[in-house]
Amino acid sequence: MAVVEAGSQFASRQAGDRSGRAMTVLIGCAILLVVMMMASLTVGASGTSLFQALMAWASGEPIELRERVILFDIRAPRTLLGALVGASLAVSGAVMQGLFRNPLADPGLVGVSAGAGLGAILAIVLGGLLPPALAVLTGMYTVPVAAFVGGWLSTILLYRVATRKGRTSVAVMLLAGIALGALTGAVAGLMVYIADDNQLRDLTFWGLGSLAGATWAKLMVAGPLIVLALAATPFLARGLDALTLGEATAGHLGIPVQRMKNIAILTVACATGASVAVSGGIGFVGIVVPHLLRLSVGPSHRYLLPISALLGAAFLLGADMISRTIVAPSELPIGIVTATIGGPFFLYVLLRNRSLLDM
Amino acid sequence: MRIRMLTGVAALLTSALSTSAFAEDRVLSIGGSITEIVYALGEQDRLIARDTTSSFPSSVADLPDVGYMRALSPEGVLSVDPTLIIAEEGSGPLETIQVLESANIPFITIPDGFDRQAVATKIQAVAQALGVPEKGAELAAEIDAQLAALDTSVDAPARVMFILSTQGGRIMASGTNTAADGIIALAGGTNAVVGFEGYKPLTDEAVTLAAPDVIVMMSRDGDHATEDADLWAHPAISTTPAAQTQSVVRINGLLLLGFGPRTPEAATALHSALYDEG
């Protein structure tokens, strides 16, 4: 037990004691998220405003059906889903980077995204061939369900490949993930070949990601999975911190390394599978958010994971607000927004902090 | 101010009086050919917005654009405050349509098709949705008569290949069961590519084997002379009879493939391009 204490102390000392600063950033990000959620309920292509509607309601006027649909059936599920997806993308990125001890790791690398994407592509192109009974069962959710199943199957496959004698090799998993990515790329190419022109358009739009399809039903399916995954991450923090010293050292420090890896991989598969299933391919959040935060609060996962969740959620909500107002009444796919804002900004931060980034 | 209030009251009264006649409704048209039909029916004053594919007549550009027909966003559509949505088959996604239905906005889907009968059916369906079936029957009969009057009989039908794009030197051509296939038939040509349905990339050998007499493409802004030079320089196309006679026809995509009121015009234009100058 004493060894464990020493270990975690060592890990946090290595990170530099930035607890005070981290706490401030944590509170700041929480406030930012609340502001973003309120804004997300109020901003949109239509002039409907949450506050006006609430005021009208308070003064006893009935809210018009159109306003009610916009606020409660369009913006409310979209805001919640945006926050959950943003949080899950950022946390998945942070966990992957910690687990692989590689600053470039993100769910795309462990094949979860690739598998989920392949599931979605198969559903878009071959959905019409489903046996009618199954098609009725999944209905309009065929694509998200297929994406989720695809993500899960690929994670399990990679995990099996990388685990030998009860030990999971992170390096093998990384390489196998790249191999699986190439394979899914090939199958995706085949699907693009046999797709008709309407399906091709659907594939393009899916690949760029969007929260436009957010409904309460989707939220009910994806929400619990994402919340569950997010709830598991605090238990990973100490393990991931110890892992920065290497697997053997982490083991000597009393960390159940194999169990921790299991939980980390399951968490990411769960969060990413559910996110990709409901929002398509939204890139960049998982890389940008954790790195930005490491620069300000340090690498300790105790703070990094929760703050990543808050900032990821706020970032995605902000991007979504831009995506649905900048070309209103039309909508820009959100993946374009996250990359256009995130890319240059991230580059700027990198240039300013090059020396700090050797993790 | 007072005048505005009075007009407001007047508008309220008229809308109350004519709710069943659809006279005051705000129509959102999704799909280029649907918008053309609304204009041809003379009902364009009721349009309040359109989708990205609606580009004819040019005055529709003044209407707000709610985005691509297969990727409509529910709030974007609601923000233009439509009371009736008329959409081409394939518009969506389904989530958006369901939200719109929950807001009690009628969403009418018009079936698509690529032959003479389909044009009349489409016009009548749009007219029905707009509440002007008589006008629709009239217009449908007129367009159908124009299509029937087309004299496209020729001794030897030209073998035509419709090329959607030549991106990266890869020829994306139309097989059967497409708008391109339909308009080629209406113009009195034969589709040179019949092995598959829809638009697919062709191998160079398949292009040579198809041996088209004429190539049809969509016109776009830019330098067609350079594009033509590139086309004839393409190794597979250079082997075709079309390359020998340098026969390429470029027609606006919406006109050519829309299957709406301008289809007789498109068929006539294609027919004369195929045979008169040949």
Side-chain angles (χ1 to χ4, degrees):
Chain A
M1 210 46 210
V3 181
V4 178
E5 284 301 321
S8 60
Q9 269 169 25
F10 182 50
S12 68
R13 197 164 56 237
Q14 205 198 28
D17 191 10
R18 302 200 220 177
S19 303
R21 177 158 185 199
M23 214 53 208
T24 319
V25 176
L26 181 84
I27 292 167
C29 284
I31 294 170
L32 180 69
L33 176 58
V34 173
V35 171
M36 282 302 196
M37 289 183 81
M38 299 309 283
S40 174
L41 284 173
T42 282
V43 172
S46 64
T48 303
S49 147
L50 173 69
F51 303 110
Q52 276 171 15
L54 283 181
M55 253 150 56
W57 178 72
S59 66
E61 279 177 54
I63 303 178
E64 265 183 69
L65 176 66
R66 178 172 165 274
E67 311 276 291
R68 215 167 56 214
V69 167
I70 288 176
L71 286 173
F72 300 114
D73 292 337
I74 298 177
R75 285 190 198 159
R78 187 169 184 154
T79 298
L80 290 174
L81 201 68
L84 286 175
V85 168
S88 99
L89 292 176
V91 167
S92 300
V95 170
M96 283 290 110
Q97 287 144 26
L99 188 65
F100 289 100
R101 279 165 282 153
N102 181 330
L104 286 178
D106 86 337
L109 270 185
V110 281
V112 192
S113 305
L118 182 62
I121 290 170
L122 286 172
I124 289 172
V125 179
L126 303 178
L129 304 178
L130 275 182
L134 193 62
V136 167
L137 197 68
T138 52
M140 62 194 280
Y141 299 108
T142 310
V143 173
V145 168
F148 186 71
V149 172
W152 263 102
L153 287 180
S154 60
T155 313
I156 291 169
L157 178 75
L158 285 179
Y159 193 68
R160 285 276 164 81
V161 170
T163 307
R164 213 172 130 257
K165 293 179 185 163
R167 225 184 129 255
T168 307
S169 160
V170 167
V172 172
M173 195 161 172
L174 199 65
L175 290 173
I178 290 167
L180 190 74
L183 180 65
T184 56
V187 180
L190 181 69
M191 288 299 122
V192 166
Y193 176 78
I194 66 170
D196 66 32
D197 51 333
N198 283 336
Q199 291 166 340
L200 277 179
R201 305 272 184 141
D202 288 347
L203 291 178
T204 312
F205 276 97
W206 195 87
L208 293 169
S210 174
L211 293 170
T215 57
W216 287 112
K218 275 192 188 174
L219 189 68
M220 289 308 154
V221 176
L225 284 169
I226 296 176
V227 169
L228 199 70
L230 291 178
T233 50
F235 302 105
L236 293 171
R238 212 191 60 182
L240 287 174
D241 282 343
L243 210 58
T244 54
L245 306 173
E247 281 189 27
T249 318
H252 291 313
L253 290 172
I255 302 291
V257 175
Q258 183 58 35
R259 185 151 31 110
M260 197 208 73
K261 280 196 257 182
N262 288 350
I263 297 173
I265 289 163
L266 282 181
T267 305
V268 171
C270 215
T272 313
S275 300
V276 175
V278 290
S279 62
I282 301 179
F284 226 67
V285 183
I287 297 265
V288 175
V289 171
H291 279 300
L292 277 185
L293 289 173
R294 272 191 203 95
L295 291 171
S296 107
V297 303
S300 166
H301 289 87
R302 190 152 57 106
Y303 293 106
L304 185 63
L305 295 181
I307 304 178
S308 287
L310 294 172
L311 190 63
F315 175 72
L316 203 65
L317 285 178
D320 185 47
M321 278 186 265
I322 294 173
S323 108
R324 60 196 157 101
T325 50
I326 193 165
V327 290
S330 178
E331 213 174 286
L332 203 62
I334 193 170
I336 296 177
V337 182
T338 53
T340 338
I341 305 175
F345 181 64
F346 191 45
L347 209 56
Y348 164 76
V349 174
L350 280 182
L351 286 173
R352 284 199 51 183
N353 301 279
R354 268 176 289 193
S355 58
L356 291 173
L357 271 170
D358 300 313
M359 58 181 278
Chain B
M1 205 54 199
R2 174 163 299 171
I3 292 171
R4 193 177 293 171
M5 266 179 65
L6 281 176
T7 16
V9 171
L12 270 178
L13 279 176
T14 18
S15 72
L17 287 173
S18 58
T19 37
S20 56
F22 300 99
E24 291 296 315
D25 53 5
R26 301 168 53 81
V27 178
L28 167 59
S29 169
I30 309 282
S33 64
I34 306 296
T35 308
E36 281 186 34
I37 293 172
V38 174
Y39 271 81
L41 288 168
E43 299 290 313
Q44 65 270 25
D45 292 344
R46 291 158 71 184
L47 285 180
I48 44 111
R50 58 165 183 129
D51 77 320
T52 312
T53 65
S54 301
S55 57
F56 184 87
S58 54
S59 57
V60 304
D62 300 336
L63 294 172
D65 175 0
V66 296
Y68 179 60
M69 55 177 278
R70 295 180 67 80
L72 300 170
S73 118
E75 186 169 348
V77 170
L78 282 178
S79 76
V80 298
D81 205 6
T83 55
L84 172 65
I85 300 168
I86 306 177
E88 202 169 285
E89 190 177 323
S91 302
L94 211 53
E95 290 97 329
T96 299
I97 297 176
Q98 286 186 344
V99 169
L100 294 173
E101 276 166 359
S102 76
N104 280 342
I105 299 172
F107 191 102
I108 297 171
T109 303
I110 307 295
D112 218 346
F114 311 118
D115 56 20
R116 187 180 138 194
Q117 180 57 43
V119 176
T121 311
K122 234 165 147 179
I123 292 173
Q124 279 168 331
V126 173
Q128 188 73 41
L130 288 168
V132 290
E134 306 82 16
K135 272 187 178 175
E138 207 174 296
L139 180 67
E142 185 192 326
I143 302 291
D144 196 58
Q146 287 176 21
L147 284 171
L150 285 178
D151 181 19
T152 57
S153 59
V154 282
D155 299 336
R159 291 174 63 79
V160 182
M161 177 190 280
F162 176 80
I163 298 182
L164 188 64
S165 73
T166 53
Q167 212 70 54
R170 210 176 56 155
I171 306 292
M172 184 84 122
S174 167
T176 56
N177 197 18
T178 63
D181 184 62
I183 197 76
I184 290 171
L186 282 180
T190 317
N191 191 350
V193 186
V194 289
F196 54 84
E197 289 196 0
Y199 301 91
K200 291 260 177 340
L202 285 191
T203 63
D204 290 356
E205 286 174 34
V207 173
T208 307
L209 207 65
D213 301 317
V214 184
I215 285 167
V216 178
M217 297 182 77
M218 293 192 284
S219 62
R220 65 190 86 201
D221 301 333
D223 183 3
H224 285 161
T226 327
E227 285 177 30
D228 286 351
D230 287 347
L231 191 65
W232 306 134
H234 188 284
I237 290 178
S238 67
T239 67
T240 63
Q244 258 102 68
T245 54
Q246 304 240 315
S247 308
V248 61
V249 179
R250 289 178 200 266
I251 297 180
N252 173 277
L254 183 57
L255 169 65
L256 187 68
L257 308 177
F259 275 81
R262 290 194 295 157
T263 294
E265 183 192 330
T268 311
L270 185 57
H271 179 77
S272 57
L274 290 182
Y275 299 106
D276 289 359
E277 295 150 15

